[in-house]
Amino acid sequence: MRNRRGNFGRIDLSRSGLLKFLDRVSSKPTARYLIYSVSVAFFFSLILIPPILGIVLKWNLMGQIFENPTLQSRALSAIYASFGIALFVSLIDVVAGLPLAWFISRGKAKWLNVLDTFVDIPFILPTVALGYSLLLFWSKPEGVSSLFGASLVSPGWLLVILLHFVFSYPIIVRVMVGALLDYQLVYEEASRTLGAPPLTADRTVTLSILKPSMVSSFVLAFARSISETGATLIVAGTFENGPVFISNARTGGLGDGPLVFVSFVLIAVSFTIFAIITALGPRLKLPTRKVWPVIERRLSDSKVAISRNTVTLVIFLLMVLLPSLFVVLPAFYAVSSGTLSQALSGTGIWQGYWQSLLLSYILAAVVTLLNIFIGLPMAVLIARRRAGKLASTVLDVLVNVPLIVPSIALGASMKFFWSNFAFIPEIVLLIFAHISITYPYFVRAMASAVERTRIDLEEASRILGARPFTLFRTIILPLTKYSLFAGALMVFTRSVDETGATLAVASTLKTAPVLLVAWVKGPMTPMPTPYEVGLGIGFLVILSFIVLLVLRFVVRGKERKF
Amino acid sequence: MSEVRVENVSKRFDKNIVAVDNVSVQIKDKEYFSLLGPSGCGKTTLLRLIAGLIQPDEGNIYIDGKLVNDVPPEDRGVGFVFQTYALFPHMDVWDNVTYGPRVKAWSTEQSNKIGREMLEMVRLYERLKAFPQELSGGMMQRVAVARALSAGSKLLLLDEPLGALDAKIRLELRTEIRKLVQDLGLTAIHVTHDQSEAMAISDRIAVMRKGKILQVGTPQELYMNPKEIFVANFIGESNFLEGYVEAVSDKGAVLELRGNLHVKVSDKSRSSGEKVVLAVRPEALDLDKGHKKVENALLGRIESVKFEGTTTRYDVRLENEDLVVVTRPSLAGEWLNADEKVTISFPPDKSFVFTYPSKGLREELLAE
């Protein structure tokens, strides 16, 4: 049935064998309840309950940290640093990202499409690659530091801020470009005809209407900053934020007490912040009543707009794009030196490298498949409110939890729980951890796609005689398959990229990002050369791009509007 | 005073699509002027050009004698009512209506005064705390008008302002808006695709098609004396019959229609042998039972009868196989039935004659 471009040319409506059986079963209410119940049970038993129980089980260990004032203050400063940096970076993201989003969505020049694609680069690159790239660019003699004779930005809090800015900036730009493109210009036009200069119209009308998107992009950037572990470890030096502290506590043998404490506080505070923003976000009022006609008119001038766009572009190029792509250089040198042949022959450190890379991709594939199976019913349940309005809303909120809590804290608390079941092999724990971290990506993408599918199409299909399974197979799936692929793609890349939770649950198995962090940070003897690290990261980046391209090819032409 | 002059204005989109094609028109002070045409004819584009929301590729636009091509919308002093109302969803009725005075930095007392006046004028002062989504379509429309006028504009531009409303409310509101414009001494430019709406409220109407203005005139002029086939069909309704001019005299002309039918018309401007289109409005046709010998008699058979309330509509198949529509007041004369033989006729001065269009009659009548 598949034609050459991968489209499903015609949907198979014949009902034979297995399809017929599934069709018959699906119209039985018991079967439906069973599928939904299993899906919900999986969510609670695999994703939500273990981390909570993990912390509860180790609750009494928390006291350890209060007996050691030095450790206590170290843990507290790490926690403050995490939230401080996340808050600061997300605010800067909004301030710097909004003008770029505006420029991209409103500009008419063709090259803006290229710029739009470039914005995604820090998004697509594995964060470990980003971290190493920034380290080279800002700190090592190979980067801008060569111009100054000394390390311009040493590993530490400033570099962590620069890094977090780089990887969270595209989130804001991406979300806001989407929101601005969806925005109905007529509101702005109405404002202009009523006498508002462009800047006043943008501020009092457009931004206010786009406030929900701004808040949600802020939350996403904030959550990403709180959660990121691998790249932060690379650039942190002696500085510690929450995830770095947890990682150091594990390797430094500080015992479980500090781990439980920091994990608990990170999870609890993240959740509280998320809850507060969700509750107060809609009530947040932007200052729209006051107007400064003379100043705003002057600031609406085209010269001011041109300088604003120039500054925005310079920031993007020098602070985001160039540092992100800097890792290309050592990878390039590695290719021209003998490192490439060593790598390809798989000798020395490369044997471990290829094993890790293989592990990463197999793990990501397994996690993606499992996510589709356990996530699909949940997505339908949420989108169609099958569990009743209240329960569905609660599920909708709970599904997001893994998005907003730091992955290493989630991983650590899961490990506390699952370590009670010693017979479970480490690879299974790794799968559990990765499913937890990636679950929201798939369910969110699918739920909103199902929600967008008009209910009357379903009703028409049922009236024409389709049983629930046929309805799903012939109507819902074809209309949402683009989102299914997109969700699966997000799960896959997130899993390959994931460092925090992996570090927390696995002690012997090393995925590619975990291995690469060790290559940069140690402990290793001898330490890999910059060429080797560059090449190792280069392979990861190239593979990420290939996977992306393959999936893009598969889903090409599947995005249709209904 | 508020006068608008559009001179040779053109606007293209994506280089190839000509939305407004070399249009010139003048809208007088205190006039209620409608831009009427099918969707895609360029009427909204012309309105947006006048408001300054888009800039013309060629030509000039003057408001009160001043060239405004380079004046941004906020400085043109126009009030604009959008088709979707575009009430700011994050502001209540009061904030919407006082938005104009506030962004123009009028004093608070002045803003409050005008806000109150405008809301009282549209009878919505008691709903000032309501948000747009809590109002009915008609209320939103009235708020949109109040907001457009609150900034003190004397020129009101309305883009299909009644399009999204129920038929009954549409009728009420169009009278209300007309009265408001008259009472306040405003100039209004109203875009619509609904000819009955344009006829009912306008002092003058410009009929547009494919980016051009075909004819400008009072509703009566357009109805009584359409200059183009499209106008004859779009303003009211017409039957079109193809034929040739057989003879011309000082009393009029004789046309030969298909099937060797002959009719007299009062149009003297034609030349003998010219291929023409005869247009007669359904309400101008007389319908008699049986075959009668009267002036301009055309014989036929009733194909179908549709009772439409006030009027009854007869589809009559002529002997030459042309189909003609006749409408008669339902309470006048006797009722006729399908399949009956009938004679239809019309006075020579109740018909229009047009030169046969080069692209064919069908193309000329397409409403796009």
Side-chain angles (χ1 to χ4, degrees), chain A residues 184 186-198 200-201 204-206 208-209 285 288-291 293 297 300, chain B residues 48 51 53 72-75 78 80 82 84 86-91 94-95 99-100 102-105 147-148 150-151:
Chain A
Q184 291 179 29
V186 71
Y187 294 119
E188 210 167 292
E189 292 173 346
S191 162
R192 295 287 301 279
T193 59
L194 290 166
T200 313
T204 57
V205 175
T206 310
S208 295
I209 294 176
K285 283 250 191 299
T288 55
R289 280 195 70 89
K290 186 85 187 119
V291 177
R297 183 172 286 261
S300 299
Chain B
R48 291 166 65 84
L53 294 171
E74 60 267 28
D75 296 333
V78 299
F80 200 111
F82 292 84
T84 51
L87 295 180
F88 304 132
H90 59 298
M91 296 182 195
W94 178 256
D95 281 354
Y99 183 87
R102 281 188 289 124
V103 294
K104 288 187 170 172
R147 183 180 73 173
S150 65

Side-chain angles (χ1 to χ4, degrees), chain A residues 237-249:
Chain A
T238 55
F239 171 78
E240 282 182 331
N241 69 355
V244 175
F245 176 88
I246 295 179
S247 165
N248 290 345

Side-chain angles (χ1 to χ4, degrees), chain A residues 201-525:
Chain A
D202 295 343
R203 189 175 59 81
T204 57
V205 175
T206 310
L207 279 188
S208 295
I209 294 176
L210 296 182
K211 195 188 68 186
S213 302
M214 271 166 70
V215 171
S216 66
S217 68
F218 178 88
V219 170
L220 284 175
F222 186 87
R224 196 82 188 87
S225 168
I226 284 284
S227 198
E228 211 298 316
T229 314
T232 312
L233 277 171
I234 288 179
V235 302
T238 55
F239 171 78
E240 282 182 331
N241 69 355
V244 175
F245 176 88
I246 295 179
S247 165
N248 290 345
R250 281 192 77 249
T251 48
L254 295 178
D256 285 346
L259 267 182
V260 181
F261 175 73
V262 177
S263 299
F264 169 72
V265 176
L266 284 179
I267 293 176
V269 177
S270 303
F271 190 75
T272 314
I273 290 178
F274 179 69
I276 291 173
I277 293 180
T278 312
L280 296 186
R283 278 179 228 163
L284 176 79
K285 283 250 191 299
L286 296 175
T288 55
R289 280 195 70 89
K290 186 85 187 119
V291 177
W292 299 271
V294 182
I295 304 171
E296 290 191 317
R297 183 172 286 261
R298 218 169 273 161
L299 288 176
S300 299
D301 190 79
S302 63
K303 279 183 204 141
V304 180
I306 289 171
S307 16
R308 188 183 59 225
N309 289 339
T310 314
V311 171
T312 308
L313 269 183
V314 169
I315 290 179
F316 174 67
L317 292 177
L318 291 186
M319 305 280 286
V320 180
L321 196 62
L322 199 59
S324 304
L325 293 175
F326 203 72
V327 72
V328 173
L329 274 187
F332 194 70
Y333 290 135
V335 171
S336 54
S337 69
T339 319
L340 181 65
S341 55
Q342 263 177 34
L344 293 177
S345 65
T347 51
I349 53 166
W350 292 102
Q351 194 189 353
Y353 174 82
W354 292 117
Q355 283 170 355
S356 295
L357 208 59
L358 193 64
L359 172 67
S360 275
Y361 281 97
I362 292 177
L363 181 65
V366 171
V367 165
T368 307
L369 278 178
L370 287 175
N371 250 315
I372 293 177
F373 281 112
I374 61 169
L376 257 183
M378 182 62 112
V380 176
L381 200 67
I382 291 174
R384 290 289 186 239
R385 307 242 174 269
R386 289 278 150 81
K389 204 172 170 196
L390 180 69
S392 301
T393 314
V394 170
L395 278 177
D396 197 11
V397 173
L398 288 180
V399 159
N400 284 315
V401 169
L403 264 189
I404 47 148
V405 300
S407 65
I408 195 166
L410 195 72
S413 29
M414 283 183 90
K415 170 84 171 172
F416 292 143
F417 176 78
W418 292 111
S419 56
N420 295 301
F421 307 89
F423 58 89
I424 300 180
E426 200 172 277
I427 181 75
V428 176
L429 287 189
L430 215 48
I431 291 174
F432 285 177
H434 279 229
I435 287 184
S436 296
I437 303 293
T438 55
Y439 186 78
Y441 292 93
F442 183 75
V443 174
R444 290 274 6 111
M446 263 328 269
S448 55
V450 174
E451 230 169 325
R452 281 198 303 272
T453 317
R454 283 170 19 216
I455 194 109
D456 56 353
L457 298 176
E458 272 185 42
E459 289 165 352
S461 159
R462 290 301 294 276
I463 288 167
L464 290 166
R467 290 172 192 267
F469 178 70
T470 303
L471 160 73
F472 181 76
R473 192 171 59 84
T474 58
I475 307 292
I476 298 182
L477 210 53
L479 294 182
T480 55
K481 63 190 168 194
Y482 177 77
S483 300
L484 188 132
F485 279 114
L489 176 69
M490 275 195 280
V491 169
F492 192 91
T493 47
R494 186 73 184 82
S495 167
V496 170
D497 199 17
E498 166 48 43
T499 321
T502 317
L503 272 174
V505 295
S507 28
T508 52
L509 290 173
K510 284 194 184 341
T511 60
V514 170
L515 180 92
L516 286 167
V517 171
W519 276 20
V520 182
K521 286 269 289 186
M524 287 216 25
T525 38

Side-chain angles (χ1 to χ4, degrees), chain A residues 2 5-7 485 549-558:
Chain A
R2 288 174 79 101
R5 289 185 54 187
N7 285 327
F485 279 114
L549 283 178
V550 167
L551 275 166
R552 199 168 258 206
F553 179 76
V554 171
V555 302
R556 198 177 61 171
K558 290 215 159 67

Side-chain angles (χ1 to χ4, degrees), chain B residues 102-121:
Chain B
R102 281 188 289 124
V103 294
K104 288 187 170 172
W106 293 5
S107 71
T108 317
E109 299 82 62
Q110 212 179 349
S111 302
N112 289 350
K113 184 170 169 279
I114 190 118
R116 198 189 163 98
E117 275 172 18
M118 289 298 141
L119 281 177
E120 274 171 352
M121 181 181 77

